[in-house]
Amino acid sequence: METEKVKCLIVGSGPAGYTAAIYTARANLKPVLYQGMQPGGLLTMTSEIENFPGYPAGITGFDIMEDFKKQAERFGTDIRMGVVTSCDLSERPYKVVIDGNTTIETETLIICTGASAKMLGIPDEMKYAGKGVSACATCDGFFYRKRSVAVVGGGDSACEEALYLAGLAGKVYLIVRKDRLRASQIMQDRVLGNEKIEVLFNTNTVGLFGENVLEGAHLVRNMGQPNEEKFDIAIDGFFLAIGHNPNSKVFQHYLPVDDYGFIKTLWGTTKTDIPGVFAAGDVADPNYRQAITAAASGCIAAIEAERYLNIIEVK
């Protein structure tokens, strides 16, 4: 197996990964960045971004990630295709295997592998991705002002998304598979008391439809029961709020994670339990999952990696 030694390895290419690359490259750490399964990260699935500073006219998720990438390359980041398939973080230099055939030995490791939105598993989700289907109301809700949208889920996150969208959209459907909400009581009260939100209990989404963009959803109430009822709703936006899966599995043998798989870091930093190993962006963020917060944590990880290298080189 081919082996290569580097000072700084970054895995993941979303806002956190590229920002970490920009800062480490400018610090002359000669970072190597592997883009992972989705170059540019989850943000590339967002049709237009209007809340990232510096883009007053808005920009697509793909284009902003291309800008991040070009800036990282400008300062000398070695950007490569590849996915982490295994690792050994038991001692420094840390060993990370890419695509099962290349071992990178690194003095510092910045993990920016992100999180993947949980999907319902219906084929139409991908068909309308960026054309009405979204996993982030804060990112995309603005585009549905005074229009009809639906949110899928019954927990606190789904209720938060529905309430946020109710401040923008004309009509919000909250599609709940069970006969009750799982959210905290205060969130339930807020949702049920909001005249813009209609909660559809005991309802499953079985399909989406539309000519070129999303126009509606096929629903089934009381699925599999004698009183099963099929019906459609007209919507312009369909928001998934059934959770996220952090892409942390390959590192979990060495790094502690929370109950949902998010990598635990020392509060206020990107430091993990292993010196020289840092986690930034959505893989370590169960709360915000925004491009701006991911980029900020990438910056922090880069600065902390540089400081760590300065300490061990002095020793």
Side-chain angles (χ1 to χ4, degrees), residues 50-80:
E50 292 189 330
N51 59 357
F52 197 96
Y55 295 91
I59 187 170
T60 68
F62 177 83
D63 287 341
I64 193 173
M65 284 296 91
E66 281 297 297
D67 284 349
F68 273 51
K69 180 182 178 182
K70 290 174 184 175
Q71 193 168 356
E73 288 177 322
R74 174 191 167 196
F75 295 112
T77 303
D78 184 350
I79 298 177
R80 307 172 181 176

Side-chain angles (χ1 to χ4, degrees), residues 59-291:
I59 187 170
T60 68
F62 177 83
D63 287 341
I64 193 173
M65 284 296 91
E66 281 297 297
D67 284 349
F68 273 51
K69 180 182 178 182
K70 290 174 184 175
Q71 193 168 356
E73 288 177 322
R74 174 191 167 196
F75 295 112
T77 303
D78 184 350
I79 298 177
R80 307 172 181 176
M81 294 296 293
V83 176
V84 177
T85 49
S86 64
C87 67
D88 182 354
L89 308 183
S90 60
E91 60 180 357
R92 185 170 57 85
Y94 306 116
K95 299 174 181 63
V96 178
V97 178
I98 307 296
D99 294 333
N101 54 34
T102 301
T103 298
I104 306 294
E105 293 186 357
T106 182
E107 297 295 323
T108 57
L109 172 63
I110 301 178
I111 301 168
C112 307
T113 46
S116 303
K118 292 181 181 178
M119 310 292 277
L120 292 174
I122 57 177
D124 298 330
E125 286 172 307
M126 296 310 299
K127 178 181 178 181
Y128 295 104
K131 300 177 182 179
V133 172
S134 171
C136 180
T138 309
C139 307
D140 300 328
F142 183 78
F143 304 109
Y144 298 94
R145 288 172 296 175
K146 298 182 179 180
R147 300 167 81 177
S148 294
V149 300
V151 177
V152 179
D156 279 318
S157 294
C159 289
E160 287 173 8
E161 300 271 272
L163 288 164
Y164 176 81
L165 289 166
L168 300 167
K171 172 77 174 182
V172 179
Y173 295 98
L174 181 58
I175 303 170
V176 184
R177 184 168 53 89
K178 297 185 178 181
D179 61 357
R180 63 191 183 282
L181 293 169
R182 294 181 291 102
S184 58
Q185 191 59 53
I186 189 169
M187 293 302 293
Q188 292 188 43
D189 293 342
R190 288 173 180 171
V191 165
L192 296 173
N194 192 305
E195 60 182 14
K196 281 191 177 182
I197 300 173
E198 180 179 348
V199 182
L200 303 175
F201 289 111
N202 297 311
T203 301
N204 290 68
T205 306
V206 294
L208 304 171
F209 62 88
E211 192 66 33
N212 295 308
V213 297
L214 181 69
E215 296 176 11
H218 300 301
L219 306 180
V220 178
R221 184 181 285 122
N222 302 316
M223 182 178 283
Q225 303 299 316
N227 59 340
E228 179 178 286
E229 174 191 1
K230 296 180 180 179
F231 63 103
D232 294 343
I233 56 172
I235 52 172
D236 302 293
F238 185 79
F239 291 85
L240 294 156
I242 53 177
H244 285 73
N245 290 318
N247 303 318
S248 63
K249 187 175 181 180
V250 72
F251 305 106
Q252 289 185 16
H253 180 69
Y254 297 96
L255 297 174
V257 297
D258 68 12
D259 293 340
Y260 301 98
F262 291 94
I263 296 175
K264 292 183 178 180
T265 56
L266 183 64
W267 191 88
T269 77
T270 60
K271 297 175 182 177
T272 69
D273 277 6
I274 300 177
V277 177
F278 310 90
D282 288 6
V283 73
D285 177 14
N287 297 311
Y288 303 107
R289 298 192 298 274
Q290 297 296 301

